[in-house]
Amino acid sequence: MPASTYNLFDEPWIPVRWTHAAPLPHPERVGLRDLLLRSGDIATLTIADPPAHSALLRILYALTARVTGLDESGPGDWGERRLNILDAGQLPPEGITAYAGRYRQRFFLYDRDGGRPWMQDARLTGQCDGGNTAGVNKLIVTRPAGNAHAWFRHGSDARPDLPSAAEAVLSLLVWHYYGPSGRCSAREVNGVKTASATAGPLRTALSYHPEGDTLFETLLAGLVPPEVTVRRSFDLCPWEREELPDPEAAPPLPCGPCSRLTACSQHALLLVPDENSPGLVRDAYITWAYRTGRIPRDDNYLIWQISQQGNRYPRPADSRRALWRDLDALLLHEPPGTAQPQRPKVFDYASEVSEDLRVRALGFEQEGQAKDTQFVDADTPPVMGFTEQKAPATAPAVGRMRQLGEMYGRRLERAVKRAWAEYMNDPKANGDTWAAEAAARYWPGAEAEFWDRFRHLDNTGHTLGAGFDPAAARTAFLRLATDAYDTVTASVTRTQRGAKAVAHARIDLYGGVRKKATSTPAA
């Protein structure tokens, strides 16, 4: 296969699920052109890896903005123009055709002649050691590579299973957005060789996306109005630039939504096709993109919060944390909490597309350098009708429910740890095993309880307090915590010491012993 024939506009590389009403045919994968043209017939992307899903959504948001002309704030009202496209029921075919005609040559996965493979840097063949490349096991983050422990499968760097081009493209995106910091393949530019990379813009973060009944709704709801100063001739995606960026210069700062969505990578990659097996990728170069400087992290799909030191940082992905615990931070303008969370900017505008949008959370629990822990993928029922500007009466109820659920979760953890310490007669005894078992019993029940009560909230404003009963909610969460506590501690209550420890610690479920007020000595 000639290397320059795999074009991402035409080749079927994106897995999708079709709506029931979609006309035939229903291929399992589509290229970018069919995806944009038939987005109204596609229910959702079916990408197995959440970070790849999150990364591809950002690419698609940028393409949607381009083909609709929503990449600039004018002419006219941006919101009205988006609603006009929504009423049309599809992305404008003429816009898709015009964009593909202009940039199709920049969407080849391999490009030996032109030197501009999509989202890659062809200069790496001359700037990196061809005999010491990263390899495809390093490229695909679910595989063990080098001395790393096996995660999902065993593999050999000497004889790796070669990925398909579709799999390699999605892994390429994961590296661009979630790539680690630290040591990488050495890259030599102008006689200076270095091997240190900066973390990708979404590393450790959890991103939240409005999701509609079709991909068409999802893409429109995911757009954020550009500032009035944004010009598409300057706000460029990487494949729209005439020249590759200078790796020795400071990274170019994004100047609009499209560059912010697609051009913040800190890594440079290059895929090597397998000459003997068409459709497979044989090798990969992975190294740093810029020797100095870092593009400031800014993203419209993250919850931003403030650390105790006053630093702004995105809420990290935590595979043990259910999505409902972030719901008030997604729906409310000023949700409660010492971290002062700020909801993702996209949710300021998403409800204009539909009140029946769901929220999809996608991320990767990982640390800043090399360690990856677990994917995070969760979604909610339709919630956009409960945003604070749409239904302000529900705001206190949503926040209070989340607080109650979390409060009894914390009390349960404290209670089981105290019971364990008293049973062991060691104040420093580690009760993490009991705490983990109690959490596994409590949080799924608390999530079901939260959504059941959420569904019964009145978002019309006709019922006082949106119909929320705080006393009943408190009783329900306390019952879940008590059941979990009794189950976890049951094994030690057959002994006198165990029964005494469990009885003493139970009071923590109710808030613990009240501290006596200190009396001020009389003068």
Side-chain angles (χ1 to χ4, degrees):
M1 178 182 70
S4 60
T5 60
Y6 196 99
N7 190 281
L8 299 173
F9 258 112
D10 306 321
E11 297 290 339
W13 62 280
I14 306 173
V16 297
R17 177 166 56 82
W18 299 88
T19 65
H20 296 298
L24 296 174
H26 293 170
E28 293 184 354
R29 293 174 181 268
V30 295
L32 283 172
R33 187 195 308 272
D34 282 344
L35 182 141
L36 295 173
L37 288 171
R38 300 188 64 186
S39 60
D41 297 325
I42 296 172
T44 185
L45 306 176
T46 54
I47 299 172
D49 296 348
H53 191 162
S54 165
L56 182 58
L57 275 176
R58 285 170 170 81
I59 299 291
L60 296 177
Y61 292 148
L63 291 176
T64 301
R66 283 285 191 256
V67 303
T68 58
L70 294 172
D71 52 352
E72 290 187 357
S73 61
D77 182 77
W78 185 91
E80 287 186 6
R81 287 192 285 137
R82 181 168 68 162
L83 291 179
N84 290 337
I85 295 168
L86 182 68
D87 293 340
Q90 63 175 349
L91 299 177
E94 63 278 7
I96 299 170
T97 301
Y99 191 82
R102 182 176 181 184
Y103 288 108
R104 182 177 178 277
Q105 77 279 6
R106 296 283 174 81
F107 280 81
F108 283 107
L109 186 58
Y110 318 112
D111 191 352
R112 291 173 175 171
D113 299 329
R116 293 296 298 273
W118 186 71
M119 296 290 280
Q120 299 167 69
D121 192 333
R123 297 172 297 186
L124 300 188
T125 54
Q127 296 174 345
C128 297
D129 181 2
N132 191 25
T133 57
V136 294
N137 284 346
K138 185 75 172 179
L139 173 70
I140 300 174
V141 297
T142 55
R143 293 186 181 184
N147 295 323
H149 293 292
W151 192 8
F152 289 139
R153 48 171 286 169
H154 292 280
S156 167
D157 286 344
R159 300 177 60 187
D161 294 332
L162 302 187
S164 66
E167 187 179 6
V169 177
L170 294 175
S171 297
L172 174 87
L173 292 178
V174 173
W175 268 92
H176 276 309
Y177 288 85
Y178 294 88
S181 62
R183 187 169 180 80
C184 59
S185 296
R187 181 181 186 181
E188 182 175 351
V189 179
N190 294 331
V192 180
K193 181 183 288 188
T194 53
S196 179
T198 305
L202 296 181
R203 189 163 183 86
T204 74
L206 184 63
S207 67
Y208 304 84
H209 303 267
E211 190 172 66
D213 291 335
T214 65
L215 183 62
F216 171 66
E217 283 188 359
T218 298
L219 295 180
L220 283 183
L223 299 184
V224 174
E227 297 85 356
V228 294
T229 56
V230 171
R231 294 292 176 267
R232 62 175 64 96
S233 56
F234 295 97
D235 178 30
L236 298 176
C237 301
W239 57 86
E240 296 172 340
R241 295 171 176 163
E242 291 301 321
E243 303 290 339
L244 289 170
D246 181 0
E248 290 196 302
L253 299 179
C255 56
C258 290
S259 54
R260 191 174 299 119
L261 284 164
T262 62
C264 293
S265 175
Q266 300 286 335
H267 291 81
L269 294 96
L270 182 64
L271 305 180
V272 181
D274 185 78
E275 293 80 3
N276 300 319
S277 301
L280 298 181
V281 172
R282 176 175 59 82
D283 203 352
Y285 294 83
I286 303 174
T287 186
W288 51 271
Y290 303 101
R291 196 192 306 278
T292 60
R294 176 177 181 175
I295 301 172
R297 298 179 81 179
D298 190 15
D299 191 280
N300 294 327
Y301 309 88
L302 309 180
I303 293 177
W304 292 92
Q305 50 196 25
I306 306 298
S307 70
Q308 293 181 347
Q309 292 74 32
N311 299 318
R312 181 174 179 259
Y313 69 102
R315 180 165 292 183
D318 183 350
S319 58
R320 298 164 298 178
R321 182 182 174 88
L323 180 56
W324 67 271
R325 298 170 67 182
D326 295 335
L327 194 63
D328 58 340
L330 299 174
L331 302 183
L332 311 184
H333 275 303
E334 295 182 357
T338 56
Q340 307 174 47
Q342 298 175 352
R343 71 177 179 177
K345 191 175 181 180
V346 65
F347 290 107
D348 291 344
Y349 308 95
S351 60
E352 296 172 2
V353 172
S354 172
E355 294 185 355
D356 296 327
L357 297 174
R358 304 176 296 278
V359 177
R360 188 76 176 266
L362 300 165
F364 202 171
E365 182 179 345
Q366 51 191 178
E367 57 143 33
Q369 292 189 329
K371 184 179 179 182
D372 296 330
T373 303
Q374 191 165 325
F375 292 149
V376 180
D377 188 345
D379 61 2
T380 71
V383 296
M384 282 299 113
F386 294 85
T387 54
E388 191 168 353
Q389 66 266 36
K390 291 284 184 182
T394 62
V398 173
R400 187 61 180 146
M401 274 199 295
R402 196 271 300 169
Q403 287 177 328
L404 287 172
E406 293 216 317
M407 181 181 73
Y408 284 105
R410 290 194 300 270
R411 288 183 178 182
L412 173 62
E413 179 182 5
R414 188 165 60 242
V416 294
K417 284 187 173 181
R418 178 183 167 189
W420 177 257
E422 289 196 19
Y423 174 65
M424 297 298 293
N425 196 24
D426 180 2
K428 297 182 180 179
N430 187 341
D432 286 348
T433 302
W434 271 11
E437 183 180 352
R441 293 180 180 277
Y442 173 78
W443 289 112
E447 180 175 12
E449 185 67 37
F450 177 90
W451 287 120
D452 183 57
R453 294 186 177 277
F454 183 85
R455 280 190 290 270
H456 288 87
L457 292 180
D458 176 23
N459 63 348
T460 65
H462 296 155
T463 307
L464 184 64
F468 175 59
D469 185 344
R474 183 180 294 105
T475 302
F477 285 120
L478 175 58
R479 175 180 50 78
L480 291 169
T482 304
D483 290 347
Y485 181 79
D486 290 341
T487 303
V488 170
T489 59
S491 60
V492 303
T493 54
R494 299 182 183 88
T495 66
Q496 185 177 17
R497 188 175 68 182
K500 186 178 179 180
V502 170
H504 280 171
R506 180 182 295 275
I507 196 170
D508 280 351
L509 296 175
Y510 300 86
V513 179
R514 288 181 179 273
K515 294 182 179 178
K516 294 182 180 179
T518 55
S519 58
T520 304

mmCIF file of all heavy atoms in Angstrom, residues 390-415:
data_model
loop_
_atom_site.group_PDB
_atom_site.id
_atom_site.type_symbol
_atom_site.label_atom_id
_atom_site.label_comp_id
_atom_site.label_asym_id
_atom_site.label_seq_id
_atom_site.Cartn_x
_atom_site.Cartn_y
_atom_site.Cartn_z
ATOM 1 N N LYS A 390 -31.614 27.830 34.271
ATOM 2 C CA LYS A 390 -32.883 27.311 33.765
ATOM 3 C C LYS A 390 -33.868 27.039 34.898
ATOM 4 O O LYS A 390 -35.076 27.236 34.753
ATOM 5 C CB LYS A 390 -32.629 25.999 32.991
ATOM 6 C CG LYS A 390 -31.888 26.181 31.683
ATOM 7 C CD LYS A 390 -32.798 26.736 30.611
ATOM 8 C CE LYS A 390 -32.075 26.817 29.282
ATOM 9 N NZ LYS A 390 -32.931 27.408 28.220
ATOM 10 N N ALA A 391 -33.392 26.518 36.001
ATOM 11 C CA ALA A 391 -34.270 26.144 37.117
ATOM 12 C C ALA A 391 -33.588 26.526 38.429
ATOM 13 O O ALA A 391 -33.061 25.658 39.141
ATOM 14 C CB ALA A 391 -34.569 24.640 37.081
ATOM 15 N N PRO A 392 -33.598 27.809 38.751
ATOM 16 C CA PRO A 392 -32.873 28.243 39.961
ATOM 17 C C PRO A 392 -33.424 27.628 41.240
ATOM 18 O O PRO A 392 -32.672 27.484 42.212
ATOM 19 C CB PRO A 392 -33.055 29.768 39.937
ATOM 20 C CG PRO A 392 -34.210 30.026 39.038
ATOM 21 C CD PRO A 392 -34.196 28.942 38.022
ATOM 22 N N ALA A 393 -34.700 27.234 41.254
ATOM 23 C CA ALA A 393 -35.266 26.667 42.480
ATOM 24 C C ALA A 393 -34.643 25.326 42.834
ATOM 25 O O ALA A 393 -34.694 24.901 43.995
ATOM 26 C CB ALA A 393 -36.778 26.518 42.327
ATOM 27 N N THR A 394 -34.060 24.642 41.866
ATOM 28 C CA THR A 394 -33.473 23.327 42.149
ATOM 29 C C THR A 394 -32.036 23.437 42.659
ATOM 30 O O THR A 394 -31.484 22.452 43.129
ATOM 31 C CB THR A 394 -33.469 22.451 40.891
ATOM 32 O OG1 THR A 394 -32.648 23.076 39.896
ATOM 33 C CG2 THR A 394 -34.869 22.280 40.337
ATOM 34 N N ALA A 395 -31.438 24.630 42.533
ATOM 35 C CA ALA A 395 -30.022 24.768 42.888
ATOM 36 C C ALA A 395 -29.732 24.371 44.333
ATOM 37 O O ALA A 395 -28.823 23.565 44.586
ATOM 38 C CB ALA A 395 -29.550 26.197 42.611
ATOM 39 N N PRO A 396 -30.476 24.900 45.328
ATOM 40 C CA PRO A 396 -30.171 24.486 46.703
ATOM 41 C C PRO A 396 -30.376 22.987 46.926
ATOM 42 O O PRO A 396 -29.611 22.362 47.675
ATOM 43 C CB PRO A 396 -31.150 25.314 47.545
ATOM 44 C CG PRO A 396 -31.559 26.452 46.665
ATOM 45 C CD PRO A 396 -31.546 25.914 45.279
ATOM 46 N N ALA A 397 -31.384 22.428 46.282
ATOM 47 C CA ALA A 397 -31.655 21.003 46.487
ATOM 48 C C ALA A 397 -30.524 20.138 45.959
ATOM 49 O O ALA A 397 -30.087 19.180 46.622
ATOM 50 C CB ALA A 397 -32.978 20.634 45.809
ATOM 51 N N VAL A 398 -30.035 20.447 44.763
ATOM 52 C CA VAL A 398 -28.948 19.646 44.182
ATOM 53 C C VAL A 398 -27.706 19.739 45.059
ATOM 54 O O VAL A 398 -27.056 18.732 45.370
ATOM 55 C CB VAL A 398 -28.644 20.127 42.751
ATOM 56 C CG1 VAL A 398 -27.403 19.424 42.213
ATOM 57 C CG2 VAL A 398 -29.827 19.858 41.841
ATOM 58 N N GLY A 399 -27.370 20.958 45.476
ATOM 59 C CA GLY A 399 -26.190 21.124 46.320
ATOM 60 C C GLY A 399 -26.340 20.432 47.662
ATOM 61 O O GLY A 399 -25.399 19.803 48.155
ATOM 62 N N ARG A 400 -27.541 20.517 48.266
ATOM 63 C CA ARG A 400 -27.757 19.906 49.584
ATOM 64 C C ARG A 400 -27.712 18.378 49.498
ATOM 65 O O ARG A 400 -27.167 17.719 50.392
ATOM 66 C CB ARG A 400 -29.117 20.365 50.137
ATOM 67 C CG ARG A 400 -29.378 19.923 51.554
ATOM 68 C CD ARG A 400 -28.346 20.501 52.503
ATOM 69 N NE ARG A 400 -28.582 20.094 53.878
ATOM 70 C CZ ARG A 400 -27.605 19.865 54.747
ATOM 71 N NH1 ARG A 400 -26.343 20.004 54.395
ATOM 72 N NH2 ARG A 400 -27.892 19.513 55.988
ATOM 73 N N MET A 401 -28.282 17.820 48.444
ATOM 74 C CA MET A 401 -28.246 16.359 48.291
ATOM 75 C C MET A 401 -26.820 15.854 48.175
ATOM 76 O O MET A 401 -26.444 14.843 48.774
ATOM 77 C CB MET A 401 -29.051 15.943 47.048
ATOM 78 C CG MET A 401 -30.529 15.756 47.302
ATOM 79 S SD MET A 401 -31.299 14.784 46.011
ATOM 80 C CE MET A 401 -31.093 15.845 44.633
ATOM 81 N N ARG A 402 -26.022 16.542 47.371
ATOM 82 C CA ARG A 402 -24.633 16.118 47.224
ATOM 83 C C ARG A 402 -23.887 16.226 48.553
ATOM 84 O O ARG A 402 -23.140 15.333 48.947
ATOM 85 C CB ARG A 402 -23.957 16.989 46.157
ATOM 86 C CG ARG A 402 -22.649 16.439 45.626
ATOM 87 C CD ARG A 402 -21.471 16.889 46.426
ATOM 88 N NE ARG A 402 -21.345 18.344 46.439
ATOM 89 C CZ ARG A 402 -20.511 19.004 47.245
ATOM 90 N NH1 ARG A 402 -19.767 18.347 48.122
ATOM 91 N NH2 ARG A 402 -20.461 20.322 47.240
ATOM 92 N N GLN A 403 -24.154 17.292 49.294
ATOM 93 C CA GLN A 403 -23.486 17.467 50.585
ATOM 94 C C GLN A 403 -23.869 16.368 51.567
ATOM 95 O O GLN A 403 -23.024 15.818 52.280
ATOM 96 C CB GLN A 403 -23.839 18.832 51.169
ATOM 97 C CG GLN A 403 -23.166 19.996 50.466
ATOM 98 C CD GLN A 403 -23.596 21.335 51.040
ATOM 99 O OE1 GLN A 403 -24.721 21.496 51.499
ATOM 100 N NE2 GLN A 403 -22.699 22.293 51.019
ATOM 101 N N LEU A 404 -25.163 16.034 51.603
ATOM 102 C CA LEU A 404 -25.600 14.983 52.528
ATOM 103 C C LEU A 404 -24.975 13.645 52.172
ATOM 104 O O LEU A 404 -24.508 12.903 53.042
ATOM 105 C CB LEU A 404 -27.133 14.882 52.506
ATOM 106 C CG LEU A 404 -27.890 16.020 53.203
ATOM 107 C CD1 LEU A 404 -29.393 15.894 52.942
ATOM 108 C CD2 LEU A 404 -27.620 15.994 54.706
ATOM 109 N N GLY A 405 -24.994 13.312 50.883
ATOM 110 C CA GLY A 405 -24.410 12.038 50.461
ATOM 111 C C GLY A 405 -22.943 11.950 50.819
ATOM 112 O O GLY A 405 -22.462 10.916 51.312
ATOM 113 N N GLU A 406 -22.202 13.017 50.581
ATOM 114 C CA GLU A 406 -20.777 12.993 50.880
ATOM 115 C C GLU A 406 -20.521 13.027 52.387
ATOM 116 O O GLU A 406 -19.585 12.396 52.874
ATOM 117 C CB GLU A 406 -20.102 14.186 50.208
ATOM 118 C CG GLU A 406 -20.103 14.098 48.690
ATOM 119 C CD GLU A 406 -18.850 14.648 48.069
ATOM 120 O OE1 GLU A 406 -18.414 15.710 48.525
ATOM 121 O OE2 GLU A 406 -18.311 14.004 47.158
ATOM 122 N N MET A 407 -21.365 13.744 53.127
ATOM 123 C CA MET A 407 -21.146 13.842 54.572
ATOM 124 C C MET A 407 -21.252 12.464 55.228
ATOM 125 O O MET A 407 -20.393 12.082 56.044
ATOM 126 C CB MET A 407 -22.182 14.782 55.189
ATOM 127 C CG MET A 407 -22.010 14.970 56.694
ATOM 128 S SD MET A 407 -23.272 16.049 57.391
ATOM 129 C CE MET A 407 -24.705 14.974 57.337
ATOM 130 N N TYR A 408 -22.266 11.688 54.867
ATOM 131 C CA TYR A 408 -22.400 10.375 55.494
ATOM 132 C C TYR A 408 -21.345 9.396 54.981
ATOM 133 O O TYR A 408 -20.978 8.449 55.677
ATOM 134 C CB TYR A 408 -23.818 9.847 55.301
ATOM 135 C CG TYR A 408 -24.785 10.535 56.240
ATOM 136 C CD1 TYR A 408 -25.672 11.503 55.785
ATOM 137 C CD2 TYR A 408 -24.765 10.250 57.599
ATOM 138 C CE1 TYR A 408 -26.532 12.161 56.655
ATOM 139 C CE2 TYR A 408 -25.615 10.906 58.476
ATOM 140 C CZ TYR A 408 -26.493 11.858 58.001
ATOM 141 O OH TYR A 408 -27.323 12.521 58.880
ATOM 142 N N GLY A 409 -20.840 9.620 53.779
ATOM 143 C CA GLY A 409 -19.718 8.816 53.311
ATOM 144 C C GLY A 409 -18.469 9.073 54.132
ATOM 145 O O GLY A 409 -17.740 8.138 54.495
ATOM 146 N N ARG A 410 -18.214 10.329 54.431
ATOM 147 C CA ARG A 410 -17.034 10.669 55.252
ATOM 148 C C ARG A 410 -17.206 10.146 56.680
ATOM 149 O O ARG A 410 -16.263 9.621 57.288
ATOM 150 C CB ARG A 410 -16.830 12.190 55.271
ATOM 151 C CG ARG A 410 -16.365 12.784 53.964
ATOM 152 C CD ARG A 410 -15.873 14.216 54.185
ATOM 153 N NE ARG A 410 -16.919 15.064 54.719
ATOM 154 C CZ ARG A 410 -17.775 15.764 53.978
ATOM 155 N NH1 ARG A 410 -17.694 15.684 52.667
ATOM 156 N NH2 ARG A 410 -18.686 16.538 54.541
ATOM 157 N N ARG A 411 -18.423 10.298 57.216
ATOM 158 C CA ARG A 411 -18.641 9.811 58.582
ATOM 159 C C ARG A 411 -18.463 8.295 58.664
ATOM 160 O O ARG A 411 -17.918 7.768 59.646
ATOM 161 C CB ARG A 411 -20.058 10.196 59.032
ATOM 162 C CG ARG A 411 -20.221 11.680 59.321
ATOM 163 C CD ARG A 411 -21.613 11.969 59.820
ATOM 164 N NE ARG A 411 -21.802 13.372 60.159
ATOM 165 C CZ ARG A 411 -22.920 13.879 60.659
ATOM 166 N NH1 ARG A 411 -23.966 13.082 60.876
ATOM 167 N NH2 ARG A 411 -23.011 15.161 60.944
ATOM 168 N N LEU A 412 -18.927 7.607 57.626
ATOM 169 C CA LEU A 412 -18.774 6.152 57.618
ATOM 170 C C LEU A 412 -17.296 5.771 57.611
ATOM 171 O O LEU A 412 -16.874 4.880 58.371
ATOM 172 C CB LEU A 412 -19.475 5.574 56.385
ATOM 173 C CG LEU A 412 -19.276 4.089 56.128
ATOM 174 C CD1 LEU A 412 -19.839 3.251 57.286
ATOM 175 C CD2 LEU A 412 -19.937 3.685 54.806
ATOM 176 N N GLU A 413 -16.515 6.426 56.810
ATOM 177 C CA GLU A 413 -15.081 6.116 56.761
ATOM 178 C C GLU A 413 -14.428 6.366 58.117
ATOM 179 O O GLU A 413 -13.639 5.541 58.596
ATOM 180 C CB GLU A 413 -14.405 6.974 55.689
ATOM 181 C CG GLU A 413 -12.902 6.714 55.598
ATOM 182 C CD GLU A 413 -12.234 7.605 54.560
ATOM 183 O OE1 GLU A 413 -12.922 8.481 54.000
ATOM 184 O OE2 GLU A 413 -11.028 7.431 54.326
ATOM 185 N N ARG A 414 -14.781 7.480 58.733
ATOM 186 C CA ARG A 414 -14.194 7.799 60.039
ATOM 187 C C ARG A 414 -14.625 6.775 61.094
ATOM 188 O O ARG A 414 -13.822 6.348 61.941
ATOM 189 C CB ARG A 414 -14.632 9.205 60.450
ATOM 190 C CG ARG A 414 -13.932 9.732 61.696
ATOM 191 C CD ARG A 414 -14.122 11.229 61.846
ATOM 192 N NE ARG A 414 -15.527 11.602 61.959
ATOM 193 C CZ ARG A 414 -16.153 12.371 61.102
ATOM 194 N NH1 ARG A 414 -15.517 12.838 60.038
ATOM 195 N NH2 ARG A 414 -17.436 12.683 61.271
ATOM 196 N N ALA A 415 -15.874 6.340 61.020
ATOM 197 C CA ALA A 415 -16.387 5.409 62.025
ATOM 198 C C ALA A 415 -15.707 4.042 61.937
ATOM 199 O O ALA A 415 -15.310 3.455 62.956
ATOM 200 C CB ALA A 415 -17.898 5.266 61.878
#
